[in-house]
Amino acid sequence: MPLQIVHHPDYDAGFAVNHRFPMSKYPLLMEALRARGLAMPEALSMPEPAPAKWLKLAHAADYVDQVLACEVPERIEREIGFPVGRRVSLRAQLATAGTVLAARLALKHGIACNAAGGSHHARRAQGAGFCTFNDVAVASLALLAERAVENILIVDLDVHQGDGTADILKDEPRAFTFSMHGDRNYPARKIASDLDIALPDGTGDAAYLDRLRAILPELSARRRWDIVFYNAGVDVHAEDRLGRLALSDNGLRARDEMVINHFHTAGIALCGVIGGGYSTDVPALAARHAFLFEAAARYA
Ligand SMILES: [Zn+2]
């Protein structure tokens, strides 16, 4: 079966090419997926913007209203890292709904990926760190609210700690948050996940994959999970501008394969989101994000 992929052309909010946030990675990722024969028309889905009631499951109502009205206070926009105009607001609603849709597809087909998402620094009160809404937290709470699932595992391997997800889900016992990240990276003040592994600067393929291999069985044995959300941020790569780790392309490929194989073997549905990746060579960056889809396609 072809891999179920969720995408929307308006995931790209059209930033200037020299913006600190490499927005053009979204259309370039879709190009890369098409070039690899992974974006099959019959397995491509497009989300509608997320309704406010979903967003308010995870975020303060006044903050959601501010984003939807494009009236986010400047103080918060500065923490997010860009102004929240019409296209950014729409993009955040679409990317969030995309993760909800990918999660539903994962429950139906076993595995599915959103070609965006992983906005894990958005906290309950507000966005931060290039993240407007926390798509994985919204999707988790939406699925729980409609009783589609009872136990959710979040495996966040973006190089930055998943502080926003930890914040939003800290009082939700049905969701377990795991983050493995660079210790000295953003955010400076981390919010504890249910389980955190902090790695030293310069961690390379072998040490990284050893830690991951050791922790995966422990994670899957904790409970009978209905779904795992996998944040496959590629900012662990040696050439990433913001990461401080040193994974190679092969290390990244091995990571995605290991995670997906593990949960597939355990019979747990997996929803992949792309997470962070920051590089001035955006085609190379998009190719790295494509690794998630290449691995997922082997299990679709
Ligand atoms: Zn990151």
Side-chain angles (χ1 to χ4, degrees):
M1 296 285 281
L3 173 66
Q4 297 288 326
I5 296 174
V6 179
H7 175 66
H8 197 291
D10 289 331
Y11 281 176
D12 174 14
F15 286 3
V17 285
N18 60 349
H19 194 283
R20 286 188 308 139
F21 186 84
M23 192 60 87
S24 61
K25 76 181 188 179
Y26 298 98
L28 287 174
L29 170 59
M30 287 312 289
E31 258 179 50
L33 297 181
R34 283 190 197 95
R36 288 158 178 73
L38 291 173
M40 307 303 282
E42 70 275 20
L44 266 183
S45 307
M46 253 203 264
E48 301 280 339
K53 70 167 195 285
W54 289 359
L55 301 168
K56 290 178 182 178
L57 292 169
H59 295 287
D62 55 348
Y63 173 66
V64 172
D65 292 339
Q66 287 164 356
V67 174
L68 298 186
C70 303
E71 286 171 358
V72 176
E74 249 185 73
R75 169 186 65 80
I76 297 179
E77 289 184 327
R78 269 197 302 275
E79 260 195 79
I80 294 175
F82 38 71
V84 181
R86 197 189 60 79
R87 288 193 68 178
V88 168
S89 173
L90 176 62
R91 170 198 141 58
Q93 296 167 59
L94 287 169
T96 304
T99 297
V100 178
L101 179 53
R104 291 196 212 286
L105 289 165
L107 290 172
K108 190 170 167 199
H109 297 274
I111 189 162
C113 294
N114 186 11
S119 299
H120 60 171
H121 300 306
R123 308 188 292 271
R124 188 167 283 279
Q126 63 166 88
F130 299 143
C131 303
T132 312
F133 292 133
N134 192 315
D135 55 294
V136 167
V138 169
S140 296
L141 294 171
L143 292 181
L144 287 169
E146 65 188 34
R147 302 189 177 279
V149 297
E150 285 172 7
N151 288 296
I152 296 174
L153 173 64
I154 293 158
V155 174
D156 185 340
L157 299 186
D158 186 282
V159 83
H160 302 99
Q161 197 252 350
D163 59 336
T165 318
D167 174 60
I168 294 168
L169 296 174
K170 64 179 184 293
D171 297 321
E172 177 46 78
R174 295 170 294 175
F176 187 94
T177 53
F178 168 67
S179 173
M180 186 160 91
H181 49 266
D183 191 24
R184 294 185 57 226
N185 237 311
Y186 178 96
R189 260 187 303 157
K190 301 182 174 35
I191 299 171
S193 312
D194 291 308
L195 182 63
D196 284 293
I197 294 181
L199 301 171
D201 285 3
T203 300
D205 293 347
Y208 185 96
L209 294 169
D210 281 350
R211 290 303 291 271
L212 186 60
R213 195 177 295 109
I215 202 70
L216 285 173
E218 219 177 286
L219 289 172
S220 48
R222 274 176 186 260
R223 231 180 276 169
R224 177 66 222 172
W225 305 111
D226 299 307
I227 190 166
V228 51
F229 286 94
Y230 173 36
N231 183 330
V234 300
D235 42 13
V236 292
H237 194 276
E239 280 161 31
D240 195 86
R241 214 156 39 77
L242 302 184
R244 306 172 73 102
L245 304 191
L247 268 70
S248 69
D249 280 0
N250 281 338
L252 258 183
R253 282 198 186 91
R255 177 194 74 168
D256 291 348
E257 170 67 24
M258 188 187 290
V259 171
I260 293 169
N261 175 280
H262 179 81
F263 291 107
H264 176 83
T265 305
I268 302 166
L270 185 141
C271 171
V273 297
I274 71 170
Y278 307 91
S279 173
T280 42
D281 184 349
V282 186
L285 176 62
R288 269 175 232 146
H289 279 301
F291 295 164
L292 166 68
F293 297 78
E294 290 169 348
R298 290 194 285 273
Y299 296 90

